[in-house]
Amino acid sequence: MKSLTLLGIALALVVGLAASPAAVEETTLSGKVVCAKCTLKKADAKECQDVLVVKGDGDAAVEYYIVKNEVAKEFGHTCTGEKPATVTGTVSEKDGKKWIAATKIEEIK
């Protein structure tokens, strides 16, 4: 009986942590989508990669690398040039770069 109670408590903790609303927070950013390799000429870019460039404070720009998922594929790659867009998704940081896993990308016309 005691082990069954402990199992129930452990299960309740796991379910509670998994359903935490703070775990996933979406952000909406607007800027221009460009290619890290072809447009920004990033030295570490070995292949084409879409990046959302957002105006930061003053003249500084913040770059968000767009995770290659179905939403990004549907939006289409911007190899040369730029596309103004609004991107909604979750932001993370990996290898010193900001990444956004898009759940929605809309071109600004």
Side-chain angles (χ1 to χ4, degrees):
M1 182 71 170
K2 193 176 190 179
S3 59
L4 187 57
T5 303
L6 289 175
L7 179 63
I9 291 171
L11 183 61
L13 283 172
V14 169
V15 170
L17 290 175
S20 174
V24 178
E25 187 175 322
E26 286 199 337
T27 304
T28 300
L29 302 165
S30 293
K32 55 186 176 183
V33 177
V34 297
C35 180
K37 179 181 177 187
C38 302
T39 304
L40 297 178
K41 309 284 188 207
K42 295 287 184 176
D44 62 343
K46 305 294 183 226
E47 59 185 39
C48 290
Q49 172 65 53
D50 285 324
V51 177
L52 179 69
V53 180
V54 178
K55 275 199 160 203
D57 295 334
D59 290 334
V62 182
E63 298 171 350
Y64 294 87
Y65 286 71
I66 300 173
V67 174
K68 294 180 182 181
N69 62 14
E70 287 301 313
V71 175
K73 187 185 289 185
E74 193 174 300
F75 179 73
H77 174 63
T78 307
C79 194
T80 57
E82 58 187 53
K83 282 186 195 175
T86 299
V87 180
T88 302
T90 54
V91 175
S92 62
E93 194 164 322
K94 181 181 174 189
D95 299 328
K97 297 177 184 174
K98 293 181 188 237
W99 289 83
I100 186 162
T103 55
K104 182 178 179 183
I105 304 176
E106 295 180 315
E107 186 172 358
I108 300 170
K109 299 201 178 204

Short mmCIF file of all heavy atoms in Angstrom, two decimals, residues 1-72:
data_model
loop_
_atom_site.label_atom_id
_atom_site.label_comp_id
_atom_site.label_asym_id
_atom_site.label_seq_id
_atom_site.Cartn_x
_atom_site.Cartn_y
_atom_site.Cartn_z
N MET A 1 0.83 -1.20 0.00
CA MET A 1 0.00 0.00 0.00
C MET A 1 0.87 1.26 0.00
O MET A 1 0.56 2.22 -0.68
CB MET A 1 -0.92 -0.06 1.23
CG MET A 1 -1.86 1.10 1.32
SD MET A 1 -3.10 0.93 0.02
CE MET A 1 -4.21 2.14 0.50
N LYS A 2 1.95 1.21 0.79
CA LYS A 2 2.85 2.36 0.90
C LYS A 2 3.52 2.65 -0.46
O LYS A 2 3.63 3.80 -0.87
CB LYS A 2 3.91 2.07 1.96
CG LYS A 2 4.70 3.26 2.38
CD LYS A 2 5.63 2.86 3.51
CE LYS A 2 6.26 4.07 4.12
NZ LYS A 2 7.15 3.71 5.22
N SER A 3 3.96 1.60 -1.16
CA SER A 3 4.60 1.80 -2.46
C SER A 3 3.61 2.31 -3.50
O SER A 3 3.97 3.08 -4.39
CB SER A 3 5.28 0.52 -2.94
OG SER A 3 4.33 -0.51 -3.06
N LEU A 4 2.35 1.91 -3.38
CA LEU A 4 1.33 2.40 -4.30
C LEU A 4 1.09 3.89 -4.09
O LEU A 4 0.94 4.65 -5.05
CB LEU A 4 0.03 1.61 -4.09
CG LEU A 4 -1.10 1.88 -5.09
CD1 LEU A 4 -0.63 1.62 -6.51
CD2 LEU A 4 -2.30 1.02 -4.78
N THR A 5 1.12 4.34 -2.86
CA THR A 5 0.94 5.77 -2.54
C THR A 5 2.12 6.58 -3.08
O THR A 5 1.94 7.64 -3.67
CB THR A 5 0.82 5.97 -1.02
OG1 THR A 5 -0.27 5.20 -0.54
CG2 THR A 5 0.59 7.43 -0.68
N LEU A 6 3.34 6.05 -2.88
CA LEU A 6 4.54 6.73 -3.39
C LEU A 6 4.52 6.81 -4.92
O LEU A 6 4.90 7.82 -5.50
CB LEU A 6 5.80 6.02 -2.91
CG LEU A 6 6.12 6.18 -1.43
CD1 LEU A 6 7.32 5.32 -1.06
CD2 LEU A 6 6.38 7.63 -1.08
N LEU A 7 4.07 5.75 -5.55
CA LEU A 7 3.96 5.74 -7.00
C LEU A 7 2.96 6.79 -7.48
O LEU A 7 3.21 7.51 -8.45
CB LEU A 7 3.54 4.36 -7.50
CG LEU A 7 3.38 4.20 -9.01
CD1 LEU A 7 4.72 4.44 -9.71
CD2 LEU A 7 2.83 2.83 -9.35
N GLY A 8 1.85 6.93 -6.78
CA GLY A 8 0.84 7.93 -7.12
C GLY A 8 1.37 9.35 -6.97
O GLY A 8 1.13 10.21 -7.82
N ILE A 9 2.14 9.59 -5.91
CA ILE A 9 2.73 10.92 -5.69
C ILE A 9 3.75 11.22 -6.78
O ILE A 9 3.78 12.32 -7.34
CB ILE A 9 3.37 11.00 -4.29
CG1 ILE A 9 2.27 10.97 -3.23
CG2 ILE A 9 4.22 12.26 -4.15
CD1 ILE A 9 2.78 10.84 -1.80
N ALA A 10 4.59 10.24 -7.11
CA ALA A 10 5.60 10.44 -8.16
C ALA A 10 4.93 10.73 -9.50
O ALA A 10 5.37 11.61 -10.25
CB ALA A 10 6.50 9.22 -8.26
N LEU A 11 3.88 10.00 -9.81
CA LEU A 11 3.16 10.21 -11.06
C LEU A 11 2.53 11.60 -11.11
O LEU A 11 2.59 12.28 -12.14
CB LEU A 11 2.08 9.14 -11.24
CG LEU A 11 1.29 9.18 -12.54
CD1 LEU A 11 2.23 8.99 -13.73
CD2 LEU A 11 0.23 8.10 -12.55
N ALA A 12 1.98 12.06 -10.01
CA ALA A 12 1.38 13.39 -9.95
C ALA A 12 2.43 14.47 -10.16
O ALA A 12 2.19 15.48 -10.85
CB ALA A 12 0.67 13.60 -8.62
N LEU A 13 3.62 14.28 -9.62
CA LEU A 13 4.71 15.26 -9.81
C LEU A 13 5.16 15.31 -11.27
O LEU A 13 5.37 16.39 -11.82
CB LEU A 13 5.90 14.91 -8.91
CG LEU A 13 5.76 15.26 -7.45
CD1 LEU A 13 6.92 14.69 -6.64
CD2 LEU A 13 5.68 16.77 -7.26
N VAL A 14 5.31 14.15 -11.89
CA VAL A 14 5.73 14.10 -13.29
C VAL A 14 4.71 14.78 -14.19
O VAL A 14 5.05 15.58 -15.04
CB VAL A 14 5.99 12.64 -13.73
CG1 VAL A 14 6.16 12.56 -15.24
CG2 VAL A 14 7.21 12.09 -13.03
N VAL A 15 3.44 14.48 -14.00
CA VAL A 15 2.38 15.09 -14.81
C VAL A 15 2.32 16.59 -14.56
O VAL A 15 2.19 17.38 -15.49
CB VAL A 15 1.01 14.43 -14.51
CG1 VAL A 15 -0.12 15.20 -15.15
CG2 VAL A 15 1.01 12.99 -15.00
N GLY A 16 2.48 17.02 -13.34
CA GLY A 16 2.47 18.45 -13.01
C GLY A 16 3.61 19.20 -13.65
O GLY A 16 3.45 20.30 -14.17
N LEU A 17 4.80 18.62 -13.66
CA LEU A 17 5.96 19.28 -14.28
C LEU A 17 5.84 19.32 -15.79
O LEU A 17 6.22 20.29 -16.43
CB LEU A 17 7.25 18.57 -13.87
CG LEU A 17 7.67 18.75 -12.41
CD1 LEU A 17 8.89 17.89 -12.12
CD2 LEU A 17 7.94 20.20 -12.08
N ALA A 18 5.32 18.27 -16.38
CA ALA A 18 5.19 18.21 -17.84
C ALA A 18 4.16 19.20 -18.35
O ALA A 18 4.26 19.71 -19.46
CB ALA A 18 4.80 16.80 -18.27
N ALA A 19 3.16 19.52 -17.55
CA ALA A 19 2.10 20.43 -17.97
C ALA A 19 2.38 21.87 -17.57
O ALA A 19 1.53 22.73 -17.74
CB ALA A 19 0.78 19.98 -17.36
N SER A 20 3.57 22.16 -17.12
CA SER A 20 3.92 23.50 -16.66
C SER A 20 3.85 24.51 -17.81
O SER A 20 4.51 24.33 -18.83
CB SER A 20 5.33 23.50 -16.07
OG SER A 20 5.74 24.79 -15.76
N PRO A 21 3.07 25.60 -17.68
CA PRO A 21 2.95 26.57 -18.75
C PRO A 21 4.22 27.37 -18.97
O PRO A 21 4.44 27.92 -20.03
CB PRO A 21 1.80 27.48 -18.30
CG PRO A 21 1.73 27.31 -16.83
CD PRO A 21 2.22 25.92 -16.55
N ALA A 22 5.10 27.44 -17.99
CA ALA A 22 6.34 28.20 -18.13
C ALA A 22 7.34 27.47 -19.01
O ALA A 22 8.31 28.05 -19.46
CB ALA A 22 6.95 28.46 -16.76
N ALA A 23 7.11 26.19 -19.27
CA ALA A 23 8.05 25.40 -20.05
C ALA A 23 8.10 25.85 -21.51
O ALA A 23 9.14 25.82 -22.14
CB ALA A 23 7.69 23.92 -19.97
N VAL A 24 6.97 26.29 -22.06
CA VAL A 24 6.91 26.70 -23.46
C VAL A 24 6.25 28.07 -23.54
O VAL A 24 5.08 28.21 -23.24
CB VAL A 24 6.11 25.68 -24.31
CG1 VAL A 24 6.00 26.14 -25.74
CG2 VAL A 24 6.74 24.31 -24.22
N GLU A 25 7.04 29.04 -23.96
CA GLU A 25 6.51 30.39 -24.10
C GLU A 25 6.80 30.88 -25.51
O GLU A 25 7.96 30.95 -25.92
CB GLU A 25 7.16 31.33 -23.08
CG GLU A 25 6.56 32.70 -23.06
CD GLU A 25 7.15 33.56 -21.95
OE1 GLU A 25 7.42 33.04 -20.86
OE2 GLU A 25 7.36 34.75 -22.22
N GLU A 26 5.76 31.20 -26.26
CA GLU A 26 5.94 31.67 -27.63
C GLU A 26 6.21 33.17 -27.66
O GLU A 26 5.70 33.92 -26.84
CB GLU A 26 4.72 31.34 -28.48
CG GLU A 26 4.63 29.88 -28.82
CD GLU A 26 3.73 29.61 -30.01
OE1 GLU A 26 2.85 30.43 -30.32
OE2 GLU A 26 3.92 28.56 -30.63
N THR A 27 7.02 33.57 -28.63
CA THR A 27 7.38 34.96 -28.84
C THR A 27 7.07 35.30 -30.28
O THR A 27 7.21 34.47 -31.17
CB THR A 27 8.90 35.15 -28.59
OG1 THR A 27 9.20 34.68 -27.28
CG2 THR A 27 9.31 36.59 -28.72
N THR A 28 6.66 36.55 -30.53
CA THR A 28 6.42 37.02 -31.89
C THR A 28 7.43 38.12 -32.19
O THR A 28 7.55 39.08 -31.44
CB THR A 28 4.99 37.54 -32.05
OG1 THR A 28 4.08 36.48 -31.77
CG2 THR A 28 4.74 38.04 -33.46
N LEU A 29 8.18 37.94 -33.29
CA LEU A 29 9.22 38.88 -33.69
C LEU A 29 8.99 39.29 -35.14
O LEU A 29 8.58 38.49 -35.96
CB LEU A 29 10.60 38.22 -33.57
CG LEU A 29 10.99 37.69 -32.20
CD1 LEU A 29 12.19 36.77 -32.32
CD2 LEU A 29 11.29 38.84 -31.28
N SER A 30 9.30 40.55 -35.45
CA SER A 30 9.19 41.04 -36.82
C SER A 30 10.54 41.56 -37.28
O SER A 30 11.26 42.20 -36.51
CB SER A 30 8.15 42.16 -36.91
OG SER A 30 6.87 41.64 -36.67
N GLY A 31 10.86 41.27 -38.53
CA GLY A 31 12.13 41.71 -39.10
C GLY A 31 12.20 41.27 -40.54
O GLY A 31 11.18 41.17 -41.23
N LYS A 32 13.41 40.96 -40.98
CA LYS A 32 13.57 40.49 -42.36
C LYS A 32 14.29 39.14 -42.35
O LYS A 32 15.23 38.93 -41.59
CB LYS A 32 14.31 41.51 -43.21
CG LYS A 32 15.65 41.94 -42.68
CD LYS A 32 16.24 43.06 -43.50
CE LYS A 32 17.54 43.53 -42.87
NZ LYS A 32 18.13 44.64 -43.57
N VAL A 33 13.80 38.23 -43.18
CA VAL A 33 14.40 36.91 -43.31
C VAL A 33 15.44 36.97 -44.42
O VAL A 33 15.15 37.40 -45.53
CB VAL A 33 13.33 35.84 -43.62
CG1 VAL A 33 13.98 34.47 -43.82
CG2 VAL A 33 12.30 35.78 -42.51
N VAL A 34 16.67 36.55 -44.07
CA VAL A 34 17.79 36.52 -45.02
C VAL A 34 18.52 35.19 -44.86
O VAL A 34 18.26 34.44 -43.93
CB VAL A 34 18.76 37.70 -44.80
CG1 VAL A 34 18.08 39.03 -45.04
CG2 VAL A 34 19.37 37.66 -43.41
N CYS A 35 19.47 34.92 -45.73
CA CYS A 35 20.27 33.70 -45.66
C CYS A 35 21.60 33.99 -44.96
O CYS A 35 22.28 34.96 -45.30
CB CYS A 35 20.54 33.16 -47.06
SG CYS A 35 21.53 31.64 -47.07
N ALA A 36 21.94 33.15 -43.98
CA ALA A 36 23.19 33.33 -43.23
C ALA A 36 24.41 33.19 -44.15
O ALA A 36 25.38 33.93 -44.01
CB ALA A 36 23.28 32.33 -42.09
N LYS A 37 24.35 32.25 -45.08
CA LYS A 37 25.50 31.99 -45.95
C LYS A 37 25.57 32.98 -47.12
O LYS A 37 26.60 33.60 -47.35
CB LYS A 37 25.42 30.57 -46.50
CG LYS A 37 26.56 30.21 -47.43
CD LYS A 37 26.42 28.79 -47.96
CE LYS A 37 27.53 28.47 -48.93
NZ LYS A 37 27.34 27.18 -49.58
N CYS A 38 24.47 33.15 -47.84
CA CYS A 38 24.49 33.92 -49.09
C CYS A 38 24.36 35.42 -48.90
O CYS A 38 24.97 36.19 -49.64
CB CYS A 38 23.39 33.42 -50.00
SG CYS A 38 23.54 31.65 -50.37
N THR A 39 23.56 35.86 -47.92
CA THR A 39 23.33 37.29 -47.73
C THR A 39 24.22 37.85 -46.62
O THR A 39 24.87 38.87 -46.81
CB THR A 39 21.85 37.56 -47.40
OG1 THR A 39 21.04 37.02 -48.45
CG2 THR A 39 21.58 39.06 -47.29
N LEU A 40 24.23 37.18 -45.46
CA LEU A 40 25.02 37.69 -44.33
C LEU A 40 26.50 37.30 -44.43
O LEU A 40 27.33 37.85 -43.71
CB LEU A 40 24.44 37.17 -43.00
CG LEU A 40 23.03 37.65 -42.68
CD1 LEU A 40 22.56 37.02 -41.37
CD2 LEU A 40 22.96 39.17 -42.60
N LYS A 41 26.82 36.33 -45.29
CA LYS A 41 28.20 35.87 -45.51
C LYS A 41 28.87 35.43 -44.21
O LYS A 41 30.02 35.77 -43.93
CB LYS A 41 29.05 36.97 -46.18
CG LYS A 41 28.45 37.57 -47.42
CD LYS A 41 28.58 36.65 -48.59
CE LYS A 41 28.15 37.39 -49.85
NZ LYS A 41 27.64 36.56 -50.87
N LYS A 42 28.13 34.67 -43.39
CA LYS A 42 28.67 34.17 -42.12
C LYS A 42 29.76 33.14 -42.40
O LYS A 42 29.56 32.21 -43.18
CB LYS A 42 27.57 33.53 -41.27
CG LYS A 42 26.51 34.52 -40.80
CD LYS A 42 27.09 35.38 -39.72
CE LYS A 42 26.04 36.31 -39.17
NZ LYS A 42 26.52 37.10 -38.07
N ALA A 43 30.91 33.30 -41.78
CA ALA A 43 32.05 32.42 -42.01
C ALA A 43 31.75 30.98 -41.59
O ALA A 43 32.26 30.04 -42.19
CB ALA A 43 33.28 32.94 -41.27
N ASP A 44 30.92 30.80 -40.56
CA ASP A 44 30.64 29.45 -40.07
C ASP A 44 29.45 28.79 -40.78
O ASP A 44 29.12 27.65 -40.49
CB ASP A 44 30.40 29.47 -38.57
CG ASP A 44 29.20 30.32 -38.16
OD1 ASP A 44 28.74 31.14 -38.96
OD2 ASP A 44 28.73 30.16 -37.02
N ALA A 45 28.84 29.47 -41.74
CA ALA A 45 27.69 28.92 -42.46
C ALA A 45 28.19 28.03 -43.60
O ALA A 45 28.72 28.51 -44.59
CB ALA A 45 26.81 30.04 -43.00
N LYS A 46 28.01 26.73 -43.43
CA LYS A 46 28.45 25.77 -44.45
C LYS A 46 27.37 25.50 -45.48
O LYS A 46 27.63 25.00 -46.55
CB LYS A 46 28.84 24.44 -43.78
CG LYS A 46 29.88 24.59 -42.69
CD LYS A 46 31.21 25.04 -43.24
CE LYS A 46 32.24 25.10 -42.14
NZ LYS A 46 33.04 26.29 -42.13
N GLU A 47 26.12 25.83 -45.13
CA GLU A 47 24.99 25.65 -46.05
C GLU A 47 24.01 26.78 -45.82
O GLU A 47 24.10 27.52 -44.84
CB GLU A 47 24.32 24.29 -45.84
CG GLU A 47 23.79 24.09 -44.46
CD GLU A 47 23.23 22.69 -44.26
OE1 GLU A 47 23.80 21.72 -44.76
OE2 GLU A 47 22.18 22.60 -43.58
N CYS A 48 23.05 26.91 -46.72
CA CYS A 48 22.04 27.96 -46.59
C CYS A 48 21.24 27.77 -45.31
O CYS A 48 20.91 26.64 -44.95
CB CYS A 48 21.11 27.97 -47.80
SG CYS A 48 21.91 28.53 -49.32
N GLN A 49 20.96 28.88 -44.63
CA GLN A 49 20.21 28.85 -43.39
C GLN A 49 19.46 30.17 -43.25
O GLN A 49 20.08 31.23 -43.29
CB GLN A 49 21.15 28.67 -42.20
CG GLN A 49 20.49 28.81 -40.84
CD GLN A 49 19.46 27.73 -40.56
OE1 GLN A 49 19.77 26.57 -40.68
NE2 GLN A 49 18.26 28.13 -40.20
N ASP A 50 18.12 30.10 -43.10
CA ASP A 50 17.33 31.32 -42.91
C ASP A 50 17.58 31.92 -41.53
O ASP A 50 17.69 31.19 -40.54
CB ASP A 50 15.84 31.03 -43.08
CG ASP A 50 15.44 30.84 -44.53
OD1 ASP A 50 16.02 31.53 -45.39
OD2 ASP A 50 14.55 30.02 -44.79
N VAL A 51 17.68 33.24 -41.50
CA VAL A 51 17.89 33.99 -40.27
C VAL A 51 16.91 35.16 -40.26
O VAL A 51 16.76 35.86 -41.27
CB VAL A 51 19.33 34.54 -40.19
CG1 VAL A 51 19.53 35.38 -38.94
CG2 VAL A 51 20.35 33.42 -40.25
N LEU A 52 16.23 35.37 -39.13
CA LEU A 52 15.37 36.53 -38.96
C LEU A 52 16.22 37.61 -38.30
O LEU A 52 16.71 37.43 -37.19
CB LEU A 52 14.16 36.21 -38.09
CG LEU A 52 13.21 37.38 -37.83
CD1 LEU A 52 12.48 37.78 -39.11
CD2 LEU A 52 12.22 37.03 -36.74
N VAL A 53 16.40 38.73 -38.98
CA VAL A 53 17.18 39.85 -38.45
C VAL A 53 16.18 40.89 -37.92
O VAL A 53 15.36 41.41 -38.67
CB VAL A 53 18.10 40.47 -39.52
CG1 VAL A 53 18.88 41.64 -38.95
CG2 VAL A 53 19.04 39.41 -40.09
N VAL A 54 16.27 41.14 -36.61
CA VAL A 54 15.35 42.05 -35.93
C VAL A 54 16.13 43.25 -35.44
O VAL A 54 17.22 43.10 -34.90
CB VAL A 54 14.69 41.33 -34.72
CG1 VAL A 54 13.77 42.26 -33.97
CG2 VAL A 54 13.94 40.09 -35.19
N LYS A 55 15.56 44.45 -35.64
CA LYS A 55 16.21 45.66 -35.13
C LYS A 55 16.18 45.63 -33.62
O LYS A 55 15.14 45.46 -33.00
CB LYS A 55 15.50 46.91 -35.63
CG LYS A 55 15.95 47.36 -36.98
CD LYS A 55 15.57 48.80 -37.19
CE LYS A 55 16.45 49.33 -38.30
NZ LYS A 55 16.57 50.75 -38.26
N GLY A 56 17.35 45.80 -33.02
CA GLY A 56 17.46 45.86 -31.57
C GLY A 56 17.52 47.31 -31.12
O GLY A 56 17.07 48.21 -31.82
N ASP A 57 18.10 47.53 -29.96
CA ASP A 57 18.27 48.88 -29.45
C ASP A 57 19.26 49.66 -30.30
O ASP A 57 20.32 49.15 -30.67
CB ASP A 57 18.77 48.84 -28.00
CG ASP A 57 17.74 48.23 -27.07
OD1 ASP A 57 16.54 48.30 -27.39
OD2 ASP A 57 18.14 47.66 -26.03
N GLY A 58 18.91 50.87 -30.65
CA GLY A 58 19.79 51.70 -31.48
C GLY A 58 19.93 51.11 -32.87
O GLY A 58 18.96 50.76 -33.52
N ASP A 59 21.17 50.99 -33.34
CA ASP A 59 21.43 50.44 -34.67
C ASP A 59 21.74 48.95 -34.63
O ASP A 59 21.95 48.34 -35.66
CB ASP A 59 22.60 51.18 -35.31
CG ASP A 59 22.24 52.62 -35.70
OD1 ASP A 59 21.04 52.86 -35.93
OD2 ASP A 59 23.14 53.47 -35.74
N ALA A 60 21.79 48.38 -33.44
CA ALA A 60 22.14 46.96 -33.30
C ALA A 60 21.04 46.07 -33.87
O ALA A 60 19.86 46.38 -33.76
CB ALA A 60 22.37 46.61 -31.84
N ALA A 61 21.44 44.98 -34.47
CA ALA A 61 20.50 44.00 -35.02
C ALA A 61 20.67 42.70 -34.25
O ALA A 61 21.78 42.32 -33.88
CB ALA A 61 20.75 43.78 -36.49
N VAL A 62 19.57 42.01 -34.00
CA VAL A 62 19.60 40.72 -33.33
C VAL A 62 19.22 39.66 -34.36
O VAL A 62 18.24 39.81 -35.08
CB VAL A 62 18.62 40.69 -32.13
CG1 VAL A 62 18.68 39.36 -31.42
CG2 VAL A 62 18.91 41.83 -31.17
N GLU A 63 20.01 38.60 -34.43
CA GLU A 63 19.79 37.53 -35.41
C GLU A 63 19.20 36.30 -34.73
O GLU A 63 19.73 35.82 -33.73
CB GLU A 63 21.11 37.16 -36.09
CG GLU A 63 21.71 38.31 -36.87
CD GLU A 63 23.12 38.01 -37.36
OE1 GLU A 63 23.72 37.00 -36.96
OE2 GLU A 63 23.62 38.81 -38.16
N TYR A 64 18.11 35.80 -35.30
CA TYR A 64 17.46 34.58 -34.83
C TYR A 64 17.50 33.57 -35.96
O TYR A 64 16.84 33.76 -36.98
CB TYR A 64 16.00 34.85 -34.43
CG TYR A 64 15.85 35.75 -33.23
CD1 TYR A 64 15.82 37.14 -33.38
CD2 TYR A 64 15.75 35.22 -31.95
CE1 TYR A 64 15.68 37.97 -32.28
CE2 TYR A 64 15.62 36.06 -30.84
CZ TYR A 64 15.58 37.42 -31.02
OH TYR A 64 15.45 38.26 -29.93
N TYR A 65 18.26 32.51 -35.78
CA TYR A 65 18.33 31.45 -36.78
C TYR A 65 17.01 30.68 -36.73
O TYR A 65 16.55 30.30 -35.65
CB TYR A 65 19.52 30.53 -36.51
CG TYR A 65 20.84 31.17 -36.86
CD1 TYR A 65 21.37 32.21 -36.10
CD2 TYR A 65 21.54 30.76 -37.99
CE1 TYR A 65 22.57 32.81 -36.43
CE2 TYR A 65 22.75 31.37 -38.33
CZ TYR A 65 23.25 32.38 -37.56
OH TYR A 65 24.43 33.00 -37.90
N ILE A 66 16.42 30.45 -37.88
CA ILE A 66 15.12 29.78 -37.95
C ILE A 66 15.33 28.27 -38.07
O ILE A 66 15.99 27.81 -39.01
CB ILE A 66 14.28 30.32 -39.13
CG1 ILE A 66 14.04 31.82 -38.95
CG2 ILE A 66 12.97 29.56 -39.25
CD1 ILE A 66 13.36 32.50 -40.12
N VAL A 67 14.78 27.53 -37.11
CA VAL A 67 14.88 26.07 -37.12
C VAL A 67 14.19 25.55 -38.37
O VAL A 67 13.10 25.98 -38.72
CB VAL A 67 14.22 25.48 -35.84
CG1 VAL A 67 14.19 23.97 -35.90
CG2 VAL A 67 14.94 25.96 -34.60
N LYS A 68 14.86 24.62 -39.06
CA LYS A 68 14.29 24.03 -40.28
C LYS A 68 13.22 23.02 -39.89
O LYS A 68 13.51 21.88 -39.55
CB LYS A 68 15.39 23.38 -41.11
CG LYS A 68 16.39 24.37 -41.66
CD LYS A 68 17.46 23.70 -42.48
CE LYS A 68 18.46 24.73 -42.99
NZ LYS A 68 19.52 24.15 -43.81
N ASN A 69 11.96 23.46 -39.92
CA ASN A 69 10.83 22.59 -39.64
C ASN A 69 9.80 22.75 -40.76
O ASN A 69 10.05 23.42 -41.75
CB ASN A 69 10.24 22.88 -38.25
CG ASN A 69 9.71 24.29 -38.11
OD1 ASN A 69 9.52 25.02 -39.09
ND2 ASN A 69 9.46 24.70 -36.87
N GLU A 70 8.64 22.15 -40.61
CA GLU A 70 7.60 22.21 -41.66
C GLU A 70 7.12 23.64 -41.90
O GLU A 70 6.84 24.02 -43.03
CB GLU A 70 6.43 21.30 -41.30
CG GLU A 70 6.73 19.83 -41.46
CD GLU A 70 7.14 19.46 -42.88
OE1 GLU A 70 6.47 19.88 -43.84
OE2 GLU A 70 8.15 18.74 -43.02
N VAL A 71 7.01 24.45 -40.85
CA VAL A 71 6.55 25.83 -40.99
C VAL A 71 7.55 26.63 -41.82
O VAL A 71 7.19 27.37 -42.74
CB VAL A 71 6.33 26.48 -39.61
CG1 VAL A 71 5.97 27.95 -39.75
CG2 VAL A 71 5.25 25.74 -38.84
N ALA A 72 8.84 26.47 -41.52
CA ALA A 72 9.89 27.17 -42.28
C ALA A 72 9.93 26.69 -43.73
O ALA A 72 10.10 27.50 -44.65
CB ALA A 72 11.24 26.96 -41.60
#
